[in-house]
Amino acid sequence: MKNVSFIYLLIFATFALSADTISATDPTPRALLFAGFNNGRVSGDAKLHIQQVTYDPNGKIGEGIFVRKDKTGSWISSDIERIDTRRGSVAFWIKLNNSSTIGLPQLFNIYPGPPYIEANFLPDRPDPKNSAVTLPGEITFTMRLVPTVDGNYSIEEKVGTGGFSFRPGEWHHVVWTWQGMNHKVYLDGTLKHKKVFSSPMPPQALPTFRIGPSFDGFEDVTIDELGTYNFALTPSEVTAAYSATISKPVAPINPHGIDVTAEWGPGVGKVSIAADSGNDFEGSAVKYIVNVYRDGKLIKSGEITKLLRGFGETLISIGTMTPGSYFATVKLVNSRSMVLAIKNSSSFVVPKSAWLGNSLGVSSRVQPPWTAIVVNGLKLSVWGREYDLRGGFGLPRQITSQGQQLLASPVALEIDLGSGPIQLKPSSLSITSIQPHLVTWQGTAAGQGITASVSGSLEYDGMMLITLKLSPTTGPITIKTVRLQTVLPSRRALFMHTTTDQPYWWYPYKSAVPSVPGVFHTNLAQKPRKSTFLAVVLFSDDDRGLEWLGENPAGWRVNEALPIQEMIRDGNGNVRLQNNFVNKNFNLGDPIEINFGYDATPVKPLPADWRGGRFGAAGGTSVFPNNDFDVYWDWRGQSTGGRSNANFPIFSLVPRDSNLYKTATQGMRHEGRKVAPFTNFHVTIPSGGHTWIDLDPIKAETANDGWISVPTKGDADYWVYNVNNALSNNTYDGLYIDEPEPYTSASLLSGGYIKEDGTHGTGYMLLGMREKLKRIRQVMLDNGKRPVIWLHTTAKMYPHAFAFADIVSDGESVLFEKPTDPDWVDIWGKGKAGSDWIRGLSRSQKFGFVPAFLNYIRFWNQPAAYGKALRAMYGVLAIHDIIPLTNDAASESWFENIKKDYDITSRGVEFKGFWEQTAIQPDHADIKVSYYTRANAALMCLTNMGDDYVGTVRLDISGLGLDPARTVASDAESKQSIDTSGRKISMSIPRHDFKVLRLDTIGGKN
């Protein structure tokens, strides 16, 4: 494409980790490659393989070479180490000969890595949005680790020059240096940008280096004085390279010693310290001693003991970071405990702040409707569920929900040394603390040279967390596999839901469990963004579920190219989740720790009035008298609620003028509606008069880029502070929170972890999501509000993370654009994918949340067609006991009136789904019937999934708990009596429509 061009400097570096390349001495600073391209030679380096070279006689110093995508280009390769990924530099001169490019312009690369590193540059070019504006050029360097799918990588970091004038014919000198996690870019001798990457590169990489483009297209550039170095050039050395008039590599002129990086997380109360020895001390570095200071006073110490080529990291918990100036001193120590070097980190200032570090919503009180944990020996009970630890060493032996056992066998840890699973003999298990909100325990087991220990906790809402520690009993031992087996009986695992960090509705697994024996799903079978790890695996029947949860695979010793999580239908019909903690030969020398957990559902009882809830944008008074669960979502723009972007910006947590907003919404509140303004879970922007500068202290932990903010404690501090201000001022009543997405991070402050090769893996922060929602709910209670946290959760369900939400809504997926489209019955009723989805996931009452479903029928301007489509929607949702969202009270209140007339919010109302009930039997399979019962009355919904129906429905009135001799039937919409003689009803139902019938016992007390 002309005038919109990209010039990609691809520098791929990969070196195999081997004993002969990991130096036990200090590596001498030197050039790994220098090519001056003079006198008809690329370089004096005999190990460069020259396929073709075209020289530019007008190089920066003497000649250069053309890099083009045609026969006049240059292609050079090398099969030895050319870039040192632990610390190093790349320096070159570049001249753009033509600003037009086609395809992906490249200079040099190594593919596929790891790491895959590329340098991209843009010349000056017209702004595609405004041709009168010229966009400046820019050079950026990108480091990528672990490819996933569709060109995505687990980790992708960039550092660049920023904008500058970059035009054809102009020479520019570019240097990129790195040491540990610190990266710097120099342009024409001046430092332009520096950045701390979220992961170090691997200690070494594979040595395949190519100069020349890899793709078809067009580019025309000249490069000269290309050098790669095994040391990070100092500013003086960069200046020397920029000022050089003779073609030669940069000579080291300064010491190249220790480098320290400190990333501060005042919200989480931690600091992430990374240290690299530099070339001067790599061979002698044994450990680092870290001291952390606040205002010059020592507050915490730690050590970094696991070094790879002189580099190591640690995460130090500081506790509450009160206002002050913080820094860390790092001492490099050799094997004789001699201090070889000392360096301070840059200082970090925690400002005085009303919001940062607040404790609003942080409480050990048991929130209603939960109850305190009950401990009976090694059996732990929370509302509706029981976790049995008896007979083991801390893993659950049985989990029960609503009186039904969820496990077919105890959770089992299988360790194979090569000749089959070993026998782990439990040696201890005891409860270590009992509080109303939290119970903890510890246990151990051992066998054949391995000791397994468990530290566990159970919170009052039912979330169980487990830390499993595996240690060699006497000395190092080789392990072939370690597997955690969680087995459910078939009747408890009718459906399964899993997710990666790609939660777009198309990709999460949300279906019935296949009946055919064998592996039916793995973590590699699901599309990721950055992580193939499944943070949630949720099995369920129609009334309850069991969730396995984990934030990341830290401590796992795995080949990630193989499945590490497998879902299996066993030959006996049981359904099994197999987590492969170790799936390759592994030498257990030092202990490893693995964290995971379980949560049985429903996580809480639903409020008695939940079926009378009204959620959405419809106005007017609810048909339910004094409805306390009538929630209006106030979205963006000039909504009917009066929210304006000028006063209440989208994504803001509070309006600029609370009184103005209260005035705009007072009409709805007078109608009894609760106002819940739109927010987005992963978007944290300045609110309440703050600026982005106010959010800077938590930027390292949240990685907030304006769109995604990781839900750390600092992020929660800001949300809760603002929400509490709004609630205490009665500005609104609840929150509608969009997109509670499972985004991942590589930062050790927010979900990342250190892998075996020293690089970072990405991890989730679902526990951070949970804590944020828990605190918001608590401040609602503290402000005397009925908790109203409404999450939009299309195609996703994370019970432990969502536990403190009240309402969840599904359905932002299929659009119904015109009357001729397939309707609700076609998509959600008859289609297997839709039916499994809606029954397996959307029926969120089985997980402990009020279920609501979005109305995406878009042709409301055609009343007749819209009404027909709406009936198809309501018919499907009614037989699943799901509340449809209301957009137009005038056209939709008839359905609410049916429920109100039945008194559906009264205590004792029970629901029976079409999949289980036998009391009402139509004579055609297309008619699906679900019903409600209460004292002396039943309400039946009969939905036609097929063509026009005329037939007979048989009734077992006794089976409904009613007296056949005194029971009468009526059409709940028309109120007309219906003949039930012979215990059957003759009826007709139009295609994709439904009927609601009511049975009442004459003389009975309702």
Side-chain angles (χ1 to χ4, degrees):
M1 251 196 297
K2 279 194 171 184
N3 299 325
V4 184
S5 59
F6 296 82
I7 299 180
Y8 290 83
L9 231 85
L10 282 132
I11 313 162
F12 264 109
T14 333
F15 317 91
L17 190 62
S18 58
D20 61 338
T21 58
I22 299 180
S23 174
T25 60
D26 302 330
T28 302
R30 63 187 179 91
L32 301 177
L33 165 69
F34 182 76
F37 310 115
N38 292 317
N39 303 315
R41 295 200 313 172
V42 171
S43 171
D45 192 329
K47 294 186 178 181
L48 288 176
H49 305 295
I50 301 172
Q51 180 180 347
Q52 175 179 306
V53 173
T54 303
Y55 293 95
D56 182 348
N58 299 309
K60 179 61 181 177
I61 302 177
E63 297 170 279
I65 65 167
F66 289 113
V67 178
R68 295 168 171 165
K69 294 188 175 186
D70 57 29
K71 294 181 180 180
T72 63
S74 304
W75 285 269
I76 304 164
S77 64
S78 174
D79 57 2
I80 65 170
E81 179 180 332
R82 297 298 181 179
I83 291 180
D84 188 328
T85 48
R86 176 53 70 230
R87 63 194 74 87
S89 305
V90 177
F92 56 91
W93 285 94
I94 183 170
K95 179 182 66 172
L96 187 66
N97 299 319
N98 191 323
S99 61
S100 297
T101 62
I102 300 174
L104 179 65
Q106 296 179 321
L107 287 179
F108 42 93
N109 67 60
I110 300 173
Y111 185 81
Y116 167 15
I117 302 168
E118 67 176 357
N120 307 355
F121 64 93
L122 292 166
D124 291 2
R125 64 214 181 277
D127 186 340
K129 297 180 180 179
N130 184 354
S131 59
V133 175
T134 298
L135 298 176
E138 182 179 9
I139 297 175
T140 57
F141 294 87
T142 304
M143 185 274 290
R144 298 183 176 102
L145 293 171
V146 190
T148 53
V149 295
D150 296 341
N152 293 319
Y153 284 76
S154 178
I155 291 173
E156 181 171 317
E157 288 282 3
K158 293 185 179 182
V159 64
T161 60
F164 70 99
S165 178
F166 190 26
R167 301 169 184 169
E170 298 177 352
W171 281 100
H172 292 280
H173 189 250
V174 182
V175 179
W176 172 35
T177 73
W178 60 91
Q179 183 174 359
M181 295 171 66
N182 271 330
H183 295 253
K184 300 176 182 178
V185 174
Y186 297 80
L187 178 68
D188 297 330
T190 301
L191 177 64
K192 288 294 183 181
H193 198 219
K194 57 185 178 179
K195 183 180 180 182
V196 177
F197 279 13
S198 63
S199 172
M201 291 192 263
Q204 291 181 306
L206 297 173
T208 305
F209 187 96
R210 291 195 311 264
I211 299 172
S214 300
F215 302 98
D216 293 335
F218 176 82
E219 65 177 282
D220 187 357
V221 296
T222 298
I223 61 170
D224 198 6
E225 305 302 301
L226 171 64
T228 68
Y229 302 88
N230 73 340
F231 61 100
L233 271 63
T234 64
S236 297
E237 291 160 350
V238 171
T239 299
Y242 176 59
S243 304
T245 57
I246 299 174
S247 180
K248 64 178 182 179
V250 178
I253 58 178
N254 301 112
H256 298 89
I258 183 174
D259 183 79
V260 171
T261 299
E263 290 283 278
W264 302 88
V268 295
K270 297 177 181 179
V271 59
S272 178
I273 301 290
D276 181 70
S277 63
N279 299 63
D280 296 350
F281 303 109
E282 179 181 313
S284 51
V286 172
K287 71 175 181 179
Y288 297 97
I289 298 172
V290 183
N291 291 320
V292 181
Y293 297 85
R294 179 180 60 238
D295 296 332
K297 182 180 179 180
L298 178 66
I299 59 172
K300 201 66 180 285
S301 296
E303 292 187 347
I304 305 174
T305 57
K306 294 182 179 180
L307 307 186
L308 287 172
R309 292 190 56 208
F311 174 83
E313 297 180 79
T314 190
L315 189 64
I316 298 176
S317 294
I318 303 171
T320 302
M321 291 181 65
T322 56
S325 180
Y326 294 77
F327 71 93
T329 295
V330 178
K331 300 177 183 178
L332 187 155
V333 177
N334 67 7
S335 60
R336 298 191 300 275
S337 298
M338 293 177 57
V339 176
L340 303 181
I342 302 175
K343 187 167 184 177
N344 290 342
S345 73
S346 57
S347 61
F348 176 80
V349 175
V350 177
K352 291 183 179 179
S353 168
W355 63 269
L356 182 57
N358 75 74
S359 59
L360 293 166
V362 178
S363 174
S364 60
R365 287 174 290 170
V366 176
Q367 291 187 17
W370 289 283
T371 55
I373 305 172
V374 175
V375 178
N376 182 11
L378 293 172
K379 294 174 69 174
L380 314 177
S381 298
V382 296
W383 174 87
R385 290 148 294 160
E386 181 180 81
Y387 296 81
D388 192 348
L389 305 176
R390 295 175 301 171
F393 64 100
L395 300 176
R397 306 280 290 174
Q398 186 55 260
I399 301 174
T400 302
S401 176
Q402 309 299 305
Q404 299 296 318
Q405 293 184 343
L406 302 182
L407 297 178
S409 58
V411 172
L413 184 68
E414 296 179 352
I415 302 176
D416 188 351
L417 306 183
S419 56
I422 67 173
Q423 294 296 317
L424 286 175
K425 184 178 180 180
S427 58
S428 67
L429 177 61
S430 61
I431 303 296
T432 53
S433 69
I434 300 175
Q435 301 176 74
H437 72 290
L438 180 70
V439 171
T440 63
W441 64 91
Q442 290 185 341
T444 59
Q448 292 185 231
I450 297 175
T451 298
S453 62
V454 165
S455 296
S457 65
L458 180 69
E459 294 193 38
Y460 64 84
D461 67 298
M463 183 184 71
M464 171 185 282
L465 295 180
I466 292 170
T467 297
L468 172 68
K469 184 177 181 179
L470 299 179
S471 308
T473 304
T474 55
I477 187 168
T478 300
I479 297 174
K480 182 180 179 182
T481 61
V482 177
R483 297 168 174 167
L484 184 75
Q485 305 285 9
T486 306
V487 187
L488 290 80
S490 179
R491 64 186 180 279
R492 297 290 164 252
L494 303 179
F495 307 97
M496 189 186 78
H497 169 60
T498 64
T499 189
T500 63
D501 59 344
Q502 173 49 280
Y504 181 68
W505 68 269
W506 188 263
Y507 300 112
Y509 190 104
K510 47 193 181 301
S511 188
V513 174
S515 59
V516 178
V519 176
F520 63 89
H521 193 63
T522 76
N523 66 299
L524 297 182
Q526 196 158 325
K527 186 172 182 176
R529 277 191 180 125
K530 295 183 178 181
S531 176
T532 58
F533 181 71
L534 303 177
V536 168
V537 180
L538 175 61
F539 295 102
S540 67
D541 58 19
D542 286 294
D543 300 301
R544 61 194 63 79
L546 179 62
E547 175 193 24
W548 181 94
L549 57 106
E551 296 281 72
N552 57 50
W556 300 34
R557 297 295 183 259
V558 291
N559 176 355
E560 292 182 83
L562 301 174
I564 64 174
Q565 293 165 291
E566 299 177 83
M567 298 86 209
I568 305 163
R569 168 78 75 178
D570 289 332
N572 61 5
N574 289 339
V575 177
R576 177 162 48 98
L577 167 62
Q578 177 174 289
N579 286 292
N580 300 318
F581 292 159
V582 177
N583 70 356
K584 64 179 183 179
N585 285 339
F586 160 66
N587 187 55
L588 180 65
D590 296 324
I592 60 173
E593 288 190 354
I594 296 170
N595 295 286
F596 59 95
Y598 294 93
D599 203 350
T601 75
V603 297
K604 62 179 176 295
L606 298 190
D609 61 350
W610 75 268
R611 289 190 175 99
R614 183 172 66 149
F615 315 119
T621 303
S622 170
V623 301
F624 286 88
N626 304 313
N627 190 347
D628 194 42
F629 213 23
D630 187 1
V631 183
Y632 174 84
W633 58 355
D634 196 13
W635 214 59
R636 68 176 77 190
Q638 298 290 343
S639 67
T640 56
R643 177 175 184 169
S644 68
N645 287 336
N647 184 44
F648 204 156
I650 191 69
F651 304 130
S652 180
L653 296 168
V654 292
R656 292 189 172 101
D657 186 327
S658 293
N659 290 329
L660 183 63
Y661 183 69
K662 287 191 288 186
T663 299
T665 57
Q666 66 181 356
M668 284 184 303
R669 288 173 130 183
H670 287 162
E671 292 172 348
R673 307 219 68 183
K674 296 182 185 298
V675 174
F678 169 92
T679 57
N680 188 300
F681 190 88
H682 59 78
V683 179
T684 299
I685 64 171
S687 301
H690 293 131
T691 68
W692 282 107
I693 293 175
D694 296 304
L695 293 179
D696 275 350
I698 60 171
K699 189 168 185 178
E701 65 178 78
T702 63
N704 191 347
D705 61 4
W707 179 243
I708 296 174
S709 181
V710 180
T712 65
K713 184 180 181 297
D715 181 76
D717 284 350
Y718 192 70
W719 272 63
V720 174
Y721 171 80
N722 281 282
V723 171
N724 182 70
N725 283 345
L727 294 173
S728 62
N729 194 34
N730 199 31
T731 304
Y732 49 69
D733 308 293
L735 285 179
Y736 172 83
I737 305 178
D738 198 22
E739 296 184 350
E741 310 286 34
Y743 289 113
T744 52
S745 168
S747 170
L748 301 186
L749 294 170
S750 49
Y753 65 99
I754 301 174
K755 302 169 75 171
E756 288 179 272
D757 65 356
T759 62
H760 289 188
T762 55
Y764 299 80
M765 280 291 289
L766 292 179
L767 291 176
M769 178 185 293
R770 165 192 169 85
E771 187 62 22
K772 182 171 164 179
L773 294 173
K774 183 179 182 181
R775 290 178 65 184
I776 292 171
R777 193 173 194 274
Q778 184 63 55
V779 299
M780 289 180 177
L781 291 167
D782 292 343
N783 280 281
K785 298 281 189 179
R786 173 178 180 165
V788 176
I789 299 177
W790 174 1
L791 302 182
H792 168 222
T793 62
T794 290
K796 64 181 73 72
M797 176 52 62
Y798 324 133
H800 77 287
F802 296 165
F804 293 90
D806 303 284
I807 309 156
V808 299
S809 52
D810 202 339
E812 189 176 86
S813 49
V814 180
L815 297 179
F816 301 91
E817 303 274 13
K818 52 187 183 297
T820 55
D821 285 344
D823 66 12
W824 248 80
V825 169
D826 292 318
I827 299 299
W828 294 105
K830 292 194 299 185
K832 185 179 186 305
S835 179
D836 287 350
W837 177 349
I838 204 167
R839 184 175 154 195
L841 197 61
S842 309
R843 273 181 42 80
S844 58
Q845 56 267 59
K846 66 179 175 180
F847 304 122
F849 310 99
V850 175
F853 213 97
L854 296 163
N855 180 354
Y856 267 78
I857 304 170
R858 292 308 197 204
F859 43 91
W860 49 80
N861 58 342
Q862 303 178 55
Y866 177 75
K868 184 177 180 181
L870 197 67
R871 290 189 67 88
M873 173 184 172
Y874 279 29
V876 173
L877 293 178
I879 60 174
H880 289 90
D881 197 21
I882 296 173
I883 299 172
L885 264 68
T886 55
N887 296 326
D888 178 8
S891 63
E892 299 170 26
S893 60
W894 54 271
F895 192 71
E896 292 178 323
N897 272 306
I898 292 172
K899 295 190 291 182
K900 187 259 299 185
D901 291 345
Y902 179 70
D903 199 13
I904 204 166
T905 60
S906 64
R907 294 191 179 275
V909 172
E910 295 184 359
F911 174 81
K912 285 287 186 180
F914 62 88
W915 53 86
E916 61 181 340
Q917 69 88 12
T918 58
I920 307 168
Q921 294 297 315
D923 60 1
H924 199 287
D926 283 342
I927 308 301
K928 306 297 181 184
V929 185
S930 298
Y931 65 80
Y932 301 93
T933 57
R934 60 171 173 79
N936 299 308
L939 190 70
M940 303 172 289
C941 181
L942 301 89
T943 299
N944 182 6
M945 301 291 188
D947 294 328
D948 290 349
Y949 167 78
V950 177
T952 301
V953 177
R954 295 192 174 275
L955 304 177
D956 178 3
I957 297 178
S958 297
L960 295 171
L962 305 177
D963 182 356
R966 297 189 299 128
T967 297
V968 296
S970 62
D971 185 309
E973 287 186 72
S974 68
K975 312 299 183 184
Q976 293 181 345
S977 298
I978 295 176
D979 181 11
T980 60
S981 58
R983 304 295 184 262
K984 61 183 180 180
I985 299 174
S986 297
M987 68 170 53
S988 63
I989 307 176
R991 178 183 183 273
H992 294 187
D993 205 333
F994 70 101
K995 282 198 173 181
V996 183
L997 306 183
R998 180 166 170 172
L999 298 177
D1000 290 277
T1001 300
I1002 298 173
K1005 292 183 179 180
N1006 288 338

